[in-house]
Amino acid sequence: MSLLSMECAVCGVTGLLICTRCRMVRYCNGEHQKQHWPKHKRCCKPFREEQDPQLGRYLAATQDIQAKQVIFVEAPLVVGPKWFLTEGEKSATIVPCVGCYTPCRLGKHQCRSCRWPVCSAACAHESLECSILSLGNAPGAKADARGQHDYYRHDALLVLKCLLLQRSQPERWKALLEMQSHEEERLGTELQQEAEQRIVTYLQQRFLRRLKSNGKQNLLSDYEPELLHRLCGIIETNYMVIELATGVELSGLFRQACMMEHACQPNCYFQFDAATQRIAVRAGCDIKKGDHLKITYTNILWGTQMRQHHLRMTKHFSCRCPRCEDPTEYGSYVSAMLCLGDVSKTCDGLQLPVEPLNEQTQWKCDTCPMLVDAAYVTEVQTHMTEEVERLLAGNPTASEVELLLARLSQLLHPNHFHMFNLKHTLIQLYGHEPGLELATLSDLQLGRKLRLCEELHNVCHRLDPHSIKLAIYVSVILLEIAHTLEEKARRSPDEAKHQLELARSHLLQAEEVLEKVQDSVAGKKLNDRLQLDLFELDKLMLANSHRQAEV
């Protein structure tokens, strides 16, 4: 998707001049740029970089910013293959092309020089990178899969691409080294040990140590292990996920965008232009002058303890936002458990963390004196996490989901994040699973589906009132509400007009929410489905109008 117009902001013809301050608006000539300045200056680079002892560098709004407004567009310092691969991706036979990242089959086409996988014989990649990779002993095309996966470690290429900036792009290299790496905090951690095996040793032994023996030591001035570890720290701390239209995920480092601080309720989001590899940062809601520009570094559907643990492990800080300090998490209760000390179930209290920011805090019932240690809560939650993940990974039926929901409801608040995930799966099974199509559901089942949708929507609104981070979740909920209302309209002709109008209203809400994720594969698929739903609904409304007219 194109992030910015190529047309002159005044007359609409193709503009060759660009505003040098914000680099977001084009003009066909200098006169039109001057003419447009009184209007453009109100939104030209509406932020500044600031420094804080605790936050480090961050971005703050210098004026009021309207929701959806592009705040800035930025080219990457470096973009490369996905940084963390899943176990399935590590052994996949389809890998990203080393040149253009197009999915390609391992062993089918190889670069003529370095013999890394490419999408076609004609596809080339950066020459300096190719020179380094050609130093390795690449396996033959008919080598066994294990040998090929061990050699072609695409996740290590991002560090190599960073390393090559010292020669190919000195200014970008300087900017890269100014980014936070948390070198001291990483020492001796699992992250550092994993990086040593996965990245540092691999690059050193397979390629970098061979520079000197092959007379190519002039290609890089520094490639010592300490520098590689520093680059790993910079990537871990600052990388942003970029999704291509093919579904391939990349990782990118952006100087300004990486300065945006974390919040568990963000006010900004970004979109990626695959053609130019630039990102546009947009306001997810109205932002007041002086407000910090914030995105989320973690999964906002997780409870506070899981979010805090993830941030400490991967970003080396603890979040102190209002949500994290609130035991109820804005009244969503996504971490809350039912009273754990009441065997007879006479207490209707909730077990909540006494000090949410303390990982070792006790959990206290809000009704009776029952106190539970953090270790016990962690043990219970870990067991439930394994159960939920195991079920959802296996393409479950509605009855299987209902069974686990019933079991977990004996321990968890109805809004707990495990309950949320199960219910979000369930609303998509009711109406779509063979034997549970909308027309076959009983009125009770249809009513339950609608209530579940409304409960989920309420949780999303509390956690992410502007649907910045939960756009896909919210859109699915709104679509399922619309489908349920359509079925209710079919069953109650007297209420059909009202029900269909409500259904259309929910689809239009989903359409607006999906604007934020049009650069993602999931967002595009969901939008295609939404447009078809709107078309079918309009036909249904027209048919209903004709019936009403005949009566």
Side-chain angles (χ1 to χ4, degrees):
M1 61 179 291
S2 180
L3 301 175
L4 298 174
S5 172
M6 301 297 290
E7 299 173 351
C8 173
V10 176
C11 65
V13 304
T14 300
L16 298 179
L17 297 179
I18 190 168
C19 173
T20 55
R21 187 164 182 259
C22 68
R23 308 196 66 80
M24 294 197 300
V25 181
R26 289 182 175 270
Y27 303 96
C28 61
N29 57 53
E31 189 59 38
H32 278 186
Q33 186 171 8
K34 290 179 183 178
Q35 182 183 333
H36 191 242
W37 176 243
K39 180 179 179 182
H40 177 54
K41 68 180 180 182
R42 295 196 294 271
C43 60
C44 182
K45 197 177 181 181
F47 68 94
R48 64 176 177 270
E49 296 176 14
E50 294 194 355
Q51 187 85 20
D52 179 87
Q54 283 190 324
L55 295 174
R57 294 185 296 178
Y58 67 93
L59 305 181
T62 54
Q63 61 194 49
D64 291 350
I65 303 173
Q66 293 183 341
K68 301 183 183 181
Q69 179 182 325
V70 176
I71 301 173
F72 65 89
V73 173
E74 181 181 18
L77 295 175
V78 63
V79 168
K82 186 178 178 182
W83 176 239
F84 283 115
L85 300 181
T86 65
E87 289 303 314
E89 289 168 334
K90 289 177 183 177
S91 57
T93 56
I94 302 298
V95 297
C97 168
V98 72
C100 65
Y101 308 117
T102 298
C104 59
R105 186 168 296 280
L106 197 61
K108 186 173 183 181
H109 296 292
Q110 293 180 328
C111 170
R112 292 188 181 90
S113 299
C114 67
R115 297 173 64 190
W116 272 65
V118 290
C119 58
S120 70
C123 190
H125 62 116
E126 206 273 325
S127 59
L128 185 55
E129 177 184 67
C130 188
S131 296
I132 302 290
L133 294 179
S134 65
L135 298 174
N137 295 319
K142 294 184 179 180
D144 64 274
R146 186 173 181 178
Q148 293 197 53
H149 287 126
D150 183 59
Y151 183 82
Y152 298 119
R153 298 190 195 174
H154 288 77
D155 50 342
L157 292 186
L158 185 57
V159 173
L160 180 60
K161 288 178 181 293
C162 289
L163 196 64
L164 297 179
L165 291 178
Q166 61 183 296
R167 170 156 180 182
S168 62
Q169 302 272 0
E171 288 301 313
R172 289 190 181 186
W173 175 246
K174 181 181 177 182
L176 181 73
L177 293 183
E178 290 175 354
M179 300 176 83
Q180 182 64 265
S181 64
H182 292 291
E183 289 175 88
E184 293 183 4
E185 293 91 335
R186 293 180 72 251
L187 286 175
T189 64
E190 287 184 19
L191 279 175
Q192 192 211 28
Q193 293 166 8
E194 190 258 354
E196 173 68 34
Q197 297 173 1
R198 179 171 67 95
I199 306 294
V200 178
T201 300
Y202 167 74
L203 288 177
Q204 286 280 325
Q205 292 182 352
R206 298 291 178 102
F207 310 104
L208 299 177
R209 288 178 184 169
R210 301 180 182 187
L211 284 168
K212 193 170 184 179
S213 60
N214 284 269
K216 295 185 177 182
Q217 62 268 30
N218 62 325
L219 292 180
L220 290 173
S221 58
D222 186 1
Y223 47 87
E224 293 302 311
E226 293 77 13
L227 178 59
L228 296 185
H229 272 295
R230 183 180 178 185
L231 293 176
C232 288
I234 288 172
I235 294 169
E236 287 165 3
T237 305
N238 300 281
Y239 84 95
M240 303 179 83
V241 176
I242 297 161
E243 185 180 8
L244 301 182
T246 57
V248 171
E249 280 188 13
L250 305 179
S251 296
L253 294 174
F254 299 82
R255 181 188 172 276
Q256 271 185 171
C258 291
M259 288 185 201
M260 289 192 292
E261 68 191 82
H262 161 81
C264 294
Q265 196 172 90
N267 59 13
C268 294
Y269 65 98
F270 62 88
Q271 295 175 318
F272 181 69
D273 186 341
T276 62
Q277 294 193 334
R278 297 192 300 173
I279 61 168
V281 173
R282 292 181 180 268
C285 58
D286 290 341
I287 298 174
K288 297 294 184 184
K289 179 180 178 179
D291 286 353
H292 295 193
L293 305 185
K294 303 174 182 179
I295 55 174
T296 292
Y297 299 173
T298 188
N299 186 337
I300 66 172
L301 279 176
W302 287 342
T304 296
Q305 280 61 43
M306 281 188 69
R307 296 196 313 280
Q308 291 282 3
H309 179 75
H310 177 253
L311 291 171
R312 280 191 289 267
M313 288 292 293
T314 61
K315 304 299 182 181
H316 309 285
F317 75 90
S318 295
C319 178
R320 297 184 175 274
C321 73
R323 177 185 168 186
C324 287
E325 292 180 332
D326 178 5
T328 74
E329 303 186 51
Y330 295 136
S332 67
Y333 295 96
V334 291
S335 293
M337 305 179 72
L338 304 187
C339 180
L340 295 171
D342 182 30
V343 179
S344 59
K345 300 298 177 186
T346 56
C347 177
D348 59 358
L350 298 174
Q351 213 82 36
L352 296 167
V354 178
E355 299 177 57
L357 300 182
N358 180 359
E359 198 170 14
Q360 303 303 319
T361 188
Q362 289 185 308
W363 288 57
K364 186 181 186 304
C365 177
D366 62 1
T367 302
C368 75
M370 184 63 192
L371 273 174
V372 180
D373 289 338
Y376 178 72
V377 173
T378 300
E379 182 182 349
V380 172
Q381 300 240 39
T382 299
H383 176 70
M384 288 187 289
T385 298
E386 292 170 355
E387 277 200 274
V388 172
E389 289 181 349
R390 185 164 54 246
L391 177 69
L392 297 184
N395 196 24
T397 63
S399 61
E400 290 172 330
V401 176
E402 288 279 25
L403 187 61
L404 186 54
L405 264 176
R407 286 177 50 211
L408 296 188
S409 67
Q410 303 299 307
L411 289 170
L412 304 178
H413 186 281
N415 291 348
H416 190 280
F417 61 92
H418 285 323
M419 302 288 279
F420 181 99
N421 284 330
L422 290 171
K423 289 177 180 179
H424 199 267
T425 300
L426 194 60
I427 64 169
Q428 296 172 78
L429 292 173
Y430 279 129
H432 302 281
E433 182 180 309
L436 289 175
E437 293 85 357
L438 280 172
T440 68
L441 296 180
S442 68
D443 289 345
L444 284 175
Q445 288 174 314
L446 202 63
R448 172 163 166 71
K449 171 168 175 156
L450 189 56
R451 285 193 303 275
L452 288 174
C453 288
E454 289 167 349
E455 288 173 13
L456 294 172
H457 193 259
N458 177 56
V459 174
C460 290
H461 183 72
R462 288 178 181 275
L463 298 181
D464 188 15
H466 305 287
S467 301
I468 294 171
K469 193 67 177 177
L470 299 179
I472 296 293
Y473 283 92
V474 171
S475 299
V476 168
I477 294 166
L478 292 171
L479 261 67
E480 295 302 331
I481 290 176
H483 295 163
T484 306
L485 292 171
E486 288 175 37
E487 181 58 28
K488 287 173 74 72
R490 292 186 183 95
R491 299 183 187 190
S492 304
D494 292 343
E495 299 179 12
K497 184 175 185 296
H498 176 63
Q499 298 284 15
L500 292 176
E501 286 173 351
L502 276 177
R504 196 171 199 281
S505 171
H506 282 84
L507 290 181
L508 293 177
Q509 286 180 54
E511 186 174 43
E512 184 175 357
V513 169
L514 281 172
E515 289 178 6
K516 298 181 177 72
V517 287
Q518 282 301 295
D519 60 330
S520 73
V521 173
K524 287 175 182 173
K525 286 183 177 178
L526 206 50
N527 189 62
D528 290 344
R529 175 182 157 193
L530 170 66
Q531 297 308 318
L532 182 60
D533 286 350
L534 275 169
F535 177 71
E536 294 297 331
L537 178 58
D538 285 342
K539 289 199 302 183
L540 192 59
M541 293 179 76
L542 186 61
N544 185 66
S545 296
H546 285 312
R547 276 197 303 271
Q548 294 294 326
E550 290 173 359
V551 173

